Amino acid sequence: MTYKYALMPLLIAHAFAYAADDAAENKAPAQTGAVLQEVKVTGQAQRSFSSASHGELRDRVNLGLLGRQNAFTAPVNVVNYDEKIIADKEPRTLVDVIAKTDASVMSFGGETNTLQGLYVRNLQLDARQFSLNGLAGLYSTYASPTAGVGSAQLIKGANSATVGMDAEGSVSSAVNIETKKATDEPINRVSMAWFSDNRLQPTFDFGRRFGSNKEWGVRVNGKYRQGDTPREGFSEESTELALNTDYRGERLRAALDVWYNKRNTDGGRARVQDMQTLTFNMPKAPDGKTNLVPSWQGQDTSDKTVALTFEYDADNITYSGGIGHMESTYRGVFTQLTMLNEQGDYRSAAARRYDYAIRNTSANFKARGEFDTGAVSHNWSVGFDAVKRERDFDRSATAGAFTSNIYNPEFPDAPAFGALSQNTDESYFTPSLAIADTLGFWENRLRLTAGARLQYIKQKNERTGSKYSEQALNPMLTAVWTANSGLVFYGNYMQDLEPGEIVDDTNAVNDGDTLKPAKSKQIELGVRKNWGDIVTTASVYQITRPSAYLNSSNIYGYNGKERNRGLELNAYANLLNKTLRPSLGVSFMRAELQNYQAWGSDAIINGNQQVTSPRIIAKAGVEWDTSFAEGLTLNAGLQHYGKSFQNPENTYTLPSYTTYDFGARYQTKMGGNKLTVSGAVENAFNKHYWQIQRGRSTRSFAVVGMPRTLWLKAELAF
């Protein structure tokens, strides 16, 4: 594929526009004095999620190629978290607020670690794969900041056909971050928060619109948090700055975003590696205050992002797109921990010093329009996306190994590390072309979408000079039936794409070759019902993902697969005259290995459960605007994760656990200004648990879950 293909969306867009104009010209002219039929519009379905969740879930979602749609009637499973939920819960990371709410999601990292991301339907999505205003790979490489987040859209299921693909692949889900913008009313907010053990967090949020029609806007957000966490020897210093300037005219809307995020931790990244190799059950988790690594093991990460996006309404086409760049660094020291026995003895491998640099450039261009052919409406779209990621990783020789016990860890003094040498120098380039057409029947009550994305992947290893390129076509089929304003059925079939593995096995006939891109496939069926003050959703899905290993003919290739099946049930409500807001979500999942080779082994697994993949996850929450104290809201929530397996043979289990959070929020006036005082206790009963994680293939990891954490916050809006 060459760059000339970047012009194809323009040609296709104008072809669609010509068809739209031609269809309009062939329509019978309107008769003079004709009376238009009265149209009655109801808004029940249009505000379904936000009204039931008190504004924490936003109804309008950005589905990339398919444009902005209503979440209730969308053809895919999408949840859009508003900035209100971030303000109310005051999470230290974005991945934690999503994971505390959605029953199909687990987080990894978050406050407990440096690397951050999500497991959605048992498959991993790193924060580096999140999009920023539709531009892939520009949000953050290692952390998940919240200061500039206006909304976070979790799009479940295979969806690279709709939202494109990050340079490192896309499987099972996507997250798109929409930045905060100035509102018509001035924004003046300052706050101070305290987090246990001893962290202070001042923040500010200012926004203004200018011009005769308020067409120009500026919004700036900042957050700084520094001090000791509840975990011994684990401290952090976090800085987040976000600037958005936007223009909204009659036809043109444009925005420029500048982000800076920096997080420095001491005593972080205490992860137990490769539990799948153990011949015993993991010991009971220690108190969350316990740190398994010394304070001299720390990491310093930073992101600098600039992004320009636009949307322009022509006579019958809407053009949109953007371009952006992010520079990220990771500097620090960490080691790998291995458990030795059920009594809690563990070994730390010798540590290394690391210096990572990542550069991402992302761009896209889309065109959308609509026309009718008889009684059938067409909502068409074409798009071009491209992401380039460059990685330059340096590391030192190893030093500082030790042995200890998780219930009473002791650490050596900091070792001396040698000079750095280059370990990785490579680049990924992933341009793609996409096209889709949504056909509407019976006044759009039935909508059928057919589309596809031609994905191209190019990788180059600058150290060795090796390179490869592959391309693949990802089809997309969706259907939505709106039975009435409060009842929607939907279904979809989509595929995702990952870069092919480089064969690195001297026993393989095809050693040194590069496999074709791996495709994961999803089929999903769901129903959404608006009962008035209650909204319920249900969906079933199946995701299959190929696995590569060396077969009996010594050919390395895709010989097995992982199949994830699940049932998701969710309910949101706003009861008792909008004063009581409960929510409940349950996911039943089965991640089955089929003809799958275990990591570091020749054993072939069939029918077993994938490692660190709970069969059931449940999340529940409730808010109550109290009747005995005006302005006082009490809240509570729980997260339950069922048992899972630490090895693919399913002989050793990781226990289930449940954590509980309790909080309160009080709103009043102070000198005519709005004052909000809030606080919470997280993991209120100080549950000791392993926060499980998955690596490549059947590798299983864990970190000690965070202990009871308290926070208090006072915010003044003036």
Side-chain angles (χ1 to χ4, degrees), residues 42-311:
T42 60
Q44 182 184 27
Q46 299 304 309
R47 299 298 299 167
S48 56
F49 284 111
S50 63
S51 60
S53 69
H54 198 53
E56 290 186 343
L57 302 184
R58 185 181 292 181
D59 293 316
R60 298 297 290 174
V61 295
N62 184 355
L63 296 182
L65 182 66
L66 300 183
R68 295 186 181 276
Q69 297 192 21
N70 181 268
F72 191 78
T73 58
V76 297
N77 196 323
V78 55
V79 184
N80 194 5
Y81 299 90
D82 206 328
E83 63 179 275
K84 182 179 184 299
I85 194 173
I86 298 174
D88 290 347
K89 294 184 180 297
E90 196 54 46
R92 271 64 73 204
T93 67
L94 181 64
V95 298
D96 281 346
V97 72
I98 296 176
K100 283 187 175 184
T101 308
D102 196 287
S104 65
V105 174
M106 298 190 302
S107 68
F108 68 88
E111 187 179 10
T112 67
N113 215 332
T114 304
L115 305 177
Q116 296 176 17
L118 301 170
Y119 294 99
V120 183
R121 295 177 172 177
N122 282 324
L123 296 172
Q124 183 171 332
L125 182 72
D126 290 344
R128 72 186 66 184
Q129 296 170 287
F130 293 4
S131 299
L132 187 73
N133 292 331
L135 293 169
L138 296 187
Y139 168 61
S140 176
T141 300
Y142 297 102
S144 59
T146 64
V149 177
S151 67
Q153 300 157 9
L154 171 63
I155 308 172
K156 303 179 190 179
N159 52 65
S160 60
T162 60
V163 298
M165 191 190 79
D166 178 75
E168 295 186 18
S170 175
V171 177
S172 85
S173 63
V175 170
N176 179 54
I177 306 301
E178 299 221 332
T179 54
K180 292 179 178 178
K181 291 180 173 61
T183 59
D184 286 344
E185 297 300 321
I187 299 172
N188 300 290
R189 300 191 191 107
V190 293
S191 71
M192 177 64 75
W194 170 86
F195 302 87
S196 59
D197 182 23
N198 183 26
R199 288 173 288 174
L200 290 178
Q201 177 185 277
T203 66
F204 64 84
D205 181 2
F206 299 112
R208 290 290 189 280
R209 299 211 71 87
F210 307 94
S212 57
N213 296 312
K214 297 186 177 181
E215 58 268 28
W216 297 97
V218 177
R219 189 165 177 181
V220 58
N221 285 263
K223 177 184 293 187
Y224 177 77
R225 184 173 60 252
Q226 190 273 334
D228 296 330
T229 74
R231 177 160 295 163
E232 296 175 1
F234 182 23
S235 62
E236 68 164 338
E237 181 180 18
S238 177
T239 303
E240 302 176 16
L241 293 171
L243 170 66
N244 173 275
T245 59
D246 78 289
Y247 171 82
R248 59 182 197 194
E250 183 177 347
R251 288 178 175 260
L252 175 65
R253 296 165 297 281
L256 175 67
D257 286 280
V258 180
W259 277 31
Y260 173 75
N261 304 298
K262 182 178 178 64
R263 187 171 188 242
N264 181 26
T265 61
D266 293 324
R269 210 179 189 277
R271 187 170 74 176
V272 177
Q273 299 284 116
D274 292 320
M275 298 185 300
Q276 80 282 353
T277 65
L278 305 181
T279 57
F280 51 86
N281 278 313
M282 280 281 288
K284 291 182 178 181
D287 190 314
K289 296 179 180 180
T290 306
N291 201 337
L292 303 184
V293 296
S295 58
W296 50 259
Q297 176 172 304
Q299 293 83 43
D300 188 344
T301 67
S302 69
D303 302 302
K304 301 173 184 177
T305 300
V306 59
L308 175 66
T309 53
F310 77 94
E311 191 171 58

